[in-house]
Each structure stands twice: as structure tokens, then as C-alpha cells.
Amino acid sequence: FPTLNLLQSDKSTLTVDQWNLLSNLSHCYDEYSGLSVGERFMLEQNVLPFKLRFKQEPIKQLIQMSLDKCQLLYKNNQDFLSLSAVDRSILLHDTFNYTAGVSASLIIYKIQLMDYPIYYDVIEMLTHPSVISVAKRLADRFDFDGIIVKLFLAILSFSTTHYTVYSNNPPINLSNIKEILRIQDTYIELAWQYLLYKYDLKQAVTCLSNFIKCLFAIHEAVIKTHDIQWLTDTISSIVIQIEQTLTLN
């Protein structure tokens, strides 16, 4: 348990409650299950003849499976589960594009698929040529510590910022905005304290800056792919699955 090891050698200013929250967060979202899917994909591709590797359909399926792994972030987070059903639904619909985009990008980055030029050719065919520059910016900046990514994902999952895609659905107000803002502040403070624990001030600022730049890239990708049917259908299906699971529980 890496978080326990960190706690045992703690020289930071994090409180015991913050370490406990970090431990809970670390266990509620298991990035390794997503990485195992990605690693299996790479193994399967590498045994194929060169001309048959990294075709559209397998990469499309990898993206879909990677997006699906982000469900755990919502299903297992006790702060999220403590909110009303209405507020959970609003946050889920508003943030899943971002969190799933970051989560899937992390998996694809970690398995080094972004190192292959053919990956960008396939992304262009699956989405839109303008997405290529976004994908390359992500590849240049996505080298984050796993715990830091989880913290950033938690912050995003409680974000009340709407991305810039017009919708015919009327806006619905959150019923307990004060509690959601409190949770946001808690994770933001925890993320900053952890960055200062792991890095010096300059490195912490650089890491935070790089993640913000990645978020801008994800934001741009959301806008540019909002009319890609297979992708929007995939995300909608996952969101419905999460809502159904939360309702049953």
C-alpha cells in the first residue's frame, strides 16, 4: 500500500485526516485495472504481423474500455455518494467527459501507444483531423504520478464548470452547492499539499501548470468531438450505467 508507506515516512504538512482521505481516494479508483487492459492490448497488437497492427476497430475498442474504467471514480468515492441523487446526476453529466478523457489518456500514455505515429493517424480517422494537435499536446505533458492523477480526477469530478458545448437541455441548479464547493476545496488543498510533499515548490507549480494545460487540451477535445457519434454514444452509455448502479445502491 503506497499511501501507507508515505504516511510512515511522512515529513509533510498533511494532517492525519488528509492522509486518510488520500488513502481512501487511492483505493476508490484503481488505475491498474485500466492499465492491465491497455497492456493486454499492446501484447495482442505486437504479436500481429506489422501491417495488421493498430487498426481502427481495436483502437476504438481500447478507447471505449479505457473510458469505461472511469466509472470507479464515481461509484466508490464516499464524498460523491454522500450527495443527493440530483446533484450526483448533474455532476456526473457535467464532468464525465473530462474525467473519462483524462483517465483514458493516462492509460494510453502509460502503455506508450502515443509513441506510435500510426496512433495519431487512427485518431484522425476515428474523430477529426483537428484532434491530432490535442492528442500530441497530451502526449507531451501527461507524465504524472498516479496519486496526483487521482487527486486531479477527484477535483474534476466535483467541478461545477460547464464545458463549452451547447445543449438543448435546460440547466439544472445544484441543490447543495455549498457542500460541493467544500468538497472541491478539500481536494484542491489536499492536492497542493501532496504536491509540496512530493516536490519542491518549483516542481509543484510546474506539475500543476502541466495538468491545467492538459485539462485545456481535454476541454478542446470535448468540443471538437462532441458530434462524433460513436464517442458520444459510448460516454452516454457509461453515464447511464453509473446512474443505474448508484440508484440500485
Side-chain angles (χ1 to χ4, degrees), residues 41-55:
F41 167 84
M42 293 300 286
L43 288 172
E44 291 171 351
Q45 293 298 306
N46 286 330
V47 299
L48 293 173
F50 187 78
K51 291 184 178 181
L52 298 180
R53 296 177 188 176
F54 306 119
K55 297 298 184 181

Side-chain angles (χ1 to χ4, degrees), residues 78-198:
Q78 292 303 311
D79 287 317
F80 186 78
L81 296 176
S82 70
L83 300 174
S84 69
V86 171
D87 284 352
R88 290 199 305 260
S89 179
I90 293 171
L91 288 174
L92 180 59
H93 282 269
D94 286 349
T95 66
F96 191 79
N97 281 279
Y98 287 110
T99 55
V102 171
S103 178
S105 296
L106 173 67
I107 293 169
I108 293 170
Y109 175 86
K110 290 292 187 182
I111 63 174
Q112 300 180 322
L113 184 56
M114 291 180 177
D115 293 345
Y116 291 80
I118 193 173
Y119 166 72
Y120 300 99
D121 295 336
V122 173
I123 290 298
E124 180 176 354
M125 290 184 284
L126 287 174
T127 58
H128 190 275
S130 62
V131 177
I132 303 307
S133 62
V134 178
K136 290 183 176 179
R137 292 207 306 275
L138 286 171
D140 290 338
R141 299 186 182 276
F142 220 87
D143 188 18
F144 297 110
D145 172 272
I147 294 178
I148 290 172
V149 171
K150 292 179 182 183
L151 284 164
F152 287 151
L153 284 172
I155 293 168
L156 288 178
S157 67
F158 291 97
S159 173
T160 52
T161 301
H162 296 272
Y163 53 84
T164 314
V165 175
Y166 294 105
S167 170
N168 293 324
N169 298 323
I172 304 174
N173 293 326
L174 293 160
S175 64
N176 195 351
I177 185 65
K178 288 185 178 180
E179 175 61 10
I180 293 169
L181 292 176
R182 184 198 67 78
I183 296 171
Q184 280 184 30
D185 290 345
T186 299
Y187 282 112
I188 291 169
E189 175 66 19
L190 178 57
W192 180 242
Q193 291 297 331
Y194 180 76
L195 285 172
L196 292 177
Y197 165 79
K198 187 170 179 63

